[in-house]
């Protein structure tokens, strides 16, 4: 036998203190959670990238096909269905993301009992809004859809009639994310919807079908997505295989105590941009609304990275915070904040510097939105810089605090919008929305830190932010000096960034980090459901 050499024990050489089993288990659990978040996050990011690309294509199709006034009416119609859907869902989509991971799926589980609780009230609200909207379309169309022509009332009627379908699709998408691997959600939300819409809207525009045909092309993919979601969630929930669908009284009270405070904040979140479009349409006219809508498409496209990360890990955060594992939840949040920052900040910095180049792609009449683009791009650095603090609040069951933050942002947006939009048009709308973005996100970040009671920002986050600003800032400066702020300058900046990324890949530390991430991603992806047991030793204290 070979003896093991050990250092002598004594005052100068104390014996090693073994790590406690609880600490080891907690560390292992934290590593497992970051691996899980890495796998889900990459899938969400890939889907969001595809969605962002085709969302940009859709914006080009709308602006090129219908001009500033027509695009303003089209964006306003999208705003109507988006805001109406967000109001009618009553926060139930977030409620499903919060509730389903804490329940058992399958024919013998209790997850299916949540579906009637979550679906019935929002669908009733959707049908009520659809009926009321159809009855008042003649009066509302001249103000909401200015620039739509004589068929504005018909366009608004069709828009309102689609609300129940979009409500049902939204709720079933949330259920799909919780009971299936994330690739199923990505396939519907980030592939089917964004790919089908520019194809159908473009076909309508080429055929000369007008705004009504174009809006119909935008709405039809929602019905297809609804059917896909129904098919995909039926099996895991045990629908048709004996799963209990009759909810208990406690199911109603528990679900809606969480969801109702979220109802208002969900409407604000989903409608933040579209409130600006509608205010601009009413206060400044359809041309300014079209410019602001085009600018907003770029801003929302840049936000898709954060959206992809949020939907990827929300069920995981719900499960962790439900068990009291705050440290693991904070670790997941910090990891994904760095990912979102590194991926989103270059987009927004380039949008701020080269706003002229990006808006020229829509047509020369949209370049009036350059100041608005710059303002909003800088504001979105705050949004992405704090990470998905809203998800930490919501998945921790603190929907009331999230509502406070969103109300603060909405109050700032609307009050400044009423003051600035009549005189400054799209630029005024952008200034108002930017102030609302900063107010909401900083408030939510403060609330999340007090709730989680764990650091949400660390040295790695700060280093990533500084490196991103320095690298992109240098590339942008070279581009501006070489080609100005138009398309030539943007091309030069992108070339410099590409060369810099290739150079980074030669660094051993960067390659080692990529290898670690790839090992995390190669693990098996599964839906974050409540069926997964929690080890007692890893529960938060």
């Amino acid at each position: 036998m070979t003896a093991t050499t050990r250092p002598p024990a004594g005052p100068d050489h104390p014996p090693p203190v073994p790590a406690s089993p609880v600490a080891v288990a907690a560390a292992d659990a934290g590593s497992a959670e970051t691996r899980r978040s890495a796998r889900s996050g990459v899938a969400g990011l890939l889907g969001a990238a595809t969605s962002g690309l085709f969302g940009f294509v859709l914006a080009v199709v709308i602006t090129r096909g219908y001009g500033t006034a027509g695009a303003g009416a089209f964006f306003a119609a999208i705003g109507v269905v988006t805001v109406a859907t967000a109001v009618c869902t009553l926060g139930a989509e977030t409620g499903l993301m919060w509730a389903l991971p804490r329940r058992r799926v399958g024919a013998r589980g209790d997850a299916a009992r949540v579906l009637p609780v979550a679906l019935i009230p929002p669908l009733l609200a959707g049908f009520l809004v659809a009926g009321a909207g159809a009855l008042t379309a003649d009066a509302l169309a001249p103000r909401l859809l200015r620039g739509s022509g004589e068929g504005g009332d018909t366009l608004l009627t069709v828009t309102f009639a689609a609300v129940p379908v979009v409500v049902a699709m939204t709720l079933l998408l949330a259920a799909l994310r919780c009971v299936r691997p994330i690739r199923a959600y990505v396939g519907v939300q980030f592939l089917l919807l964004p790919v089908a819409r520019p194809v159908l809207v473009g076909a309508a525009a080429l055929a000369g079908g007008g705004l009504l045909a174009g809006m119909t092309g935008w709405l039809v993919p929602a019905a297809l997505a609804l059917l896909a979601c129904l098919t995909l969630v039926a099996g895991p929930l045990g629908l048709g295989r004996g799963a209990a669908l009759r909810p208990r009284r406690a199911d109603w009270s528990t679900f809606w105590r969480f969801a109702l405070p979220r109802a208002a904040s969900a409407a604000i979140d989903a409608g933040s941009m579209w409130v600006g479009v509608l205010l601009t349409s009413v206060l400044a006219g359809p041309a300014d609304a079209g410019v602001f809508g085009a600018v907003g498409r770029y801003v929302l496209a840049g936000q898709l990275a954060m959206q992809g990360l949020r939907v990827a890990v929300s069920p995981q955060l719900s499960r962790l915070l439900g068990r009291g594992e705050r440290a693991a939840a904070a670790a997941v949040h910090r990891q994904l904040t760095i990912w979102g920052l590194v991926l989103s900040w270059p987009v927004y910095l380039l949008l701020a510097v080269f706003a002229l180049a990006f808006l020229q792609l829509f047509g020369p009449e949209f370049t009036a939105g350059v100041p608005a683009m710059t303002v909003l791009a800088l504001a979105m650095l705050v949004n992405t810089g704090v990470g998905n603090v809203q998800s930490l609040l919501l998945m921790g069951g603190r929907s009331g605090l999230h509502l406070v933050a969103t109300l603060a942002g909405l109050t700032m947006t609307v009050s400044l919008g009423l003051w600035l939009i009549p005189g400054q048009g799209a630029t005024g709308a952008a200034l108002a929305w930017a102030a609302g973005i900063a107010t909401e996100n900083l408030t939510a970040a403060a609330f999340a830190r007090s709730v989680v009671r764990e650091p949400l920002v660390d040295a790695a986050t700060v280093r990533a932010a500084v490196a991103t600003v320095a690298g992109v800032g240098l590339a942008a400066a070279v581009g501006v000096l070489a080609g100005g702020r138009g398309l030539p300058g943007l091309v030069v900046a992108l070339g410099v960034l590409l060369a810099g990324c290739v150079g980074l890949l030669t660094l051993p530390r960067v390659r080692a980090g990529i290898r670690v991430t790839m090992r995390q991603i190669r693990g098996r992806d599964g839906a974050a459901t409540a069926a997964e047991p929690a080890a007692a030793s890893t529960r938060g204290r």
Side-chain angles (χ1 to χ4, degrees), residues 24 27 108 117 189 334 345 354 362 386 388 450 484 497:
V24 173
R108 297 185 179 181
V117 176
Q189 173 70 16
R334 290 192 297 268
W345 277 26
F354 298 103
F362 289 154
V386 300
N388 281 317
S450 66
L497 275 179

Side-chain angles (χ1 to χ4, degrees), residues 17-99:
V17 179
S20 68
V22 173
V24 173
D28 291 342
S31 298
E33 295 300 341
T34 54
R35 287 194 298 271
R36 184 192 303 273
S37 66
R39 295 193 298 270
S40 297
V42 167
L45 285 172
L46 292 175
T50 304
S51 180
L53 172 63
F54 282 95
F56 169 74
V57 172
L58 175 63
V60 172
V61 168
I62 293 173
T63 53
R64 291 285 186 177
Y66 297 100
T68 53
F74 202 120
F75 287 133
I78 296 175
V80 168
V81 72
T82 302
V83 174
T85 298
V87 171
C88 292
T89 52
L90 304 176
E93 78 284 11
T94 307
L96 284 168
M97 296 279 282
W98 170 74

Side-chain angles (χ1 to χ4, degrees), residues 316-341:
Q316 182 184 4
L317 290 175
S318 175
R319 177 170 48 79
L320 291 173
L321 294 172
R323 296 174 181 174
E325 299 178 18
R326 293 188 299 271
V332 169
H333 171 82
R334 290 192 297 268
Q335 179 191 44
L336 296 187
T337 297
I338 292 175
W339 285 23
L341 186 152

Side-chain angles (χ1 to χ4, degrees), residues 346-528:
V347 174
Y348 287 123
L349 290 169
L350 291 176
L351 286 175
V353 176
F354 298 103
L356 176 64
F358 286 102
L359 289 172
Q360 283 174 338
L361 298 176
F362 289 154
E365 65 270 32
F366 287 91
T367 56
V370 167
M373 175 88 83
T374 301
V375 168
L376 285 175
L378 294 176
M380 293 304 290
L381 297 179
V382 178
N383 185 6
T384 52
V386 300
N388 281 317
V389 289
Q390 291 87 349
S391 294
L392 282 177
L393 287 175
L394 292 170
M395 296 302 103
R398 305 304 295 270
S399 54
L401 290 178
H402 184 265
L403 174 58
V404 173
T406 52
L407 283 175
L410 177 67
T411 301
M412 182 67 70
T413 299
V414 174
S415 59
L416 286 180
L418 293 173
W419 176 38
L420 295 173
I421 291 174
Q424 301 186 44
T427 302
L431 289 168
W433 190 19
I437 289 169
T439 300
E440 176 184 344
N441 282 277
L442 293 176
T443 304
F447 285 156
R449 177 65 178 86
S450 66
V451 169
V452 178
R453 299 198 296 275
E454 295 283 345
L456 302 182
V457 177
D458 57 7
T461 308
V462 175
R463 287 195 299 270
V466 172
T468 301
V469 171
V472 179
L474 177 62
V478 173
V480 171
L481 291 174
R485 297 193 174 186
L487 286 173
L490 175 60
V491 171
V492 171
L494 291 175
V496 173
L497 275 179
L498 179 60
C501 291
V502 173
L504 286 175
L505 292 176
T506 64
L507 300 178
R509 185 174 180 180
V510 173
R511 293 201 303 271
I514 293 174
R515 284 195 296 270
V516 170
T517 302
M518 292 305 297
R519 283 197 297 268
Q520 292 176 337
I521 295 168
R522 289 192 188 104
R524 184 175 179 271
D525 177 45

Side-chain angles (χ1 to χ4, degrees), residues 48 97 107 118 123 147 162 241 268 282-283 285 289 291 294 333 343 363 387 490 504 536:
M97 296 279 282
L123 286 176
R241 296 189 291 111
I268 297 168
V282 172
L283 298 176
V291 170
H333 171 82
L343 293 171
L490 175 60
L504 286 175

Side-chain angles (χ1 to χ4, degrees), residues 99-105 110 178 319 323 527-534:
L100 285 178
R102 303 172 185 226
R103 289 175 175 256
R104 292 175 291 109
V105 297
D110 59 349
C178 295
R319 177 170 48 79
R323 296 174 181 174
T529 66
E532 182 178 350

Side-chain angles (χ1 to χ4, degrees), residues 43-409:
L45 285 172
L46 292 175
T50 304
S51 180
L53 172 63
F54 282 95
F56 169 74
V57 172
L58 175 63
V60 172
V61 168
I62 293 173
T63 53
R64 291 285 186 177
Y66 297 100
T68 53
F74 202 120
F75 287 133
I78 296 175
V80 168
V81 72
T82 302
V83 174
T85 298
V87 171
C88 292
T89 52
L90 304 176
E93 78 284 11
T94 307
L96 284 168
M97 296 279 282
W98 170 74
L100 285 178
R102 303 172 185 226
R103 289 175 175 256
R104 292 175 291 109
V105 297
R108 297 185 179 181
D110 59 349
R113 294 207 315 258
V114 179
L115 283 185
V117 176
L119 287 172
I120 292 174
L123 286 176
L124 290 176
F127 282 113
L128 287 174
V129 168
L135 292 175
T136 58
D138 290 344
L140 292 175
R143 296 198 59 82
L144 291 180
L145 304 184
R146 293 167 64 184
S148 59
E150 296 180 357
D153 54 345
T154 305
L155 174 62
L156 193 58
T157 299
V158 171
T159 299
F160 274 115
V163 169
V165 176
V166 183
V167 167
M169 178 203 72
T170 302
L171 297 177
L172 289 177
L173 271 171
L176 175 63
R177 173 61 195 100
C178 295
V179 302
R180 287 276 189 181
I182 190 174
R183 57 181 175 270
Y185 178 91
V186 168
V188 178
Q189 173 70 16
F190 291 146
L191 293 178
L192 172 60
L193 284 171
V195 172
R197 278 173 170 162
V199 171
L200 295 180
V201 173
L206 290 174
L211 287 173
L212 179 59
M215 189 63 188
T216 302
W218 189 87
L219 291 170
V220 165
L224 300 177
L226 172 60
L227 295 176
C229 289
L230 278 172
T231 303
L232 290 169
V233 303
L237 290 178
L239 302 180
R241 296 189 291 111
L245 282 172
R246 179 177 295 179
R248 298 173 182 172
R249 180 175 299 179
D251 293 330
W252 289 92
S253 59
T254 300
F255 185 88
W256 287 108
R257 271 201 307 268
F258 170 85
L260 281 179
R262 172 58 178 156
S265 60
I268 297 168
D269 285 344
S272 56
M273 171 195 162
W274 303 112
V275 167
V277 172
L278 295 175
L279 280 176
T280 307
S281 179
V282 172
L283 298 176
D288 275 291
V291 170
F292 183 70
V295 169
R297 299 307 297 179
Y298 275 118
V299 172
L300 293 180
Q303 197 177 12
L304 281 171
M306 296 300 292
Q307 180 186 352
L309 292 172
R310 180 173 63 250
V311 299
V313 301
S314 286
Q316 182 184 4
L317 290 175
S318 175
R319 177 170 48 79
L320 291 173
L321 294 172
R323 296 174 181 174
E325 299 178 18
R326 293 188 299 271
V332 169
H333 171 82
R334 290 192 297 268
Q335 179 191 44
L336 296 187
T337 297
I338 292 175
W339 285 23
L341 186 152
V342 170
L343 293 171
S344 297
W345 277 26
V347 174
Y348 287 123
L349 290 169
L350 291 176
L351 286 175
V353 176
F354 298 103
L356 176 64
F358 286 102
L359 289 172
Q360 283 174 338
L361 298 176
F362 289 154
E365 65 270 32
F366 287 91
T367 56
V370 167
M373 175 88 83
T374 301
V375 168
L376 285 175
L378 294 176
M380 293 304 290
L381 297 179
V382 178
N383 185 6
T384 52
V386 300
N388 281 317
V389 289
Q390 291 87 349
S391 294
L392 282 177
L393 287 175
L394 292 170
M395 296 302 103
R398 305 304 295 270
S399 54
L401 290 178
H402 184 265
L403 174 58
V404 173
T406 52
L407 283 175

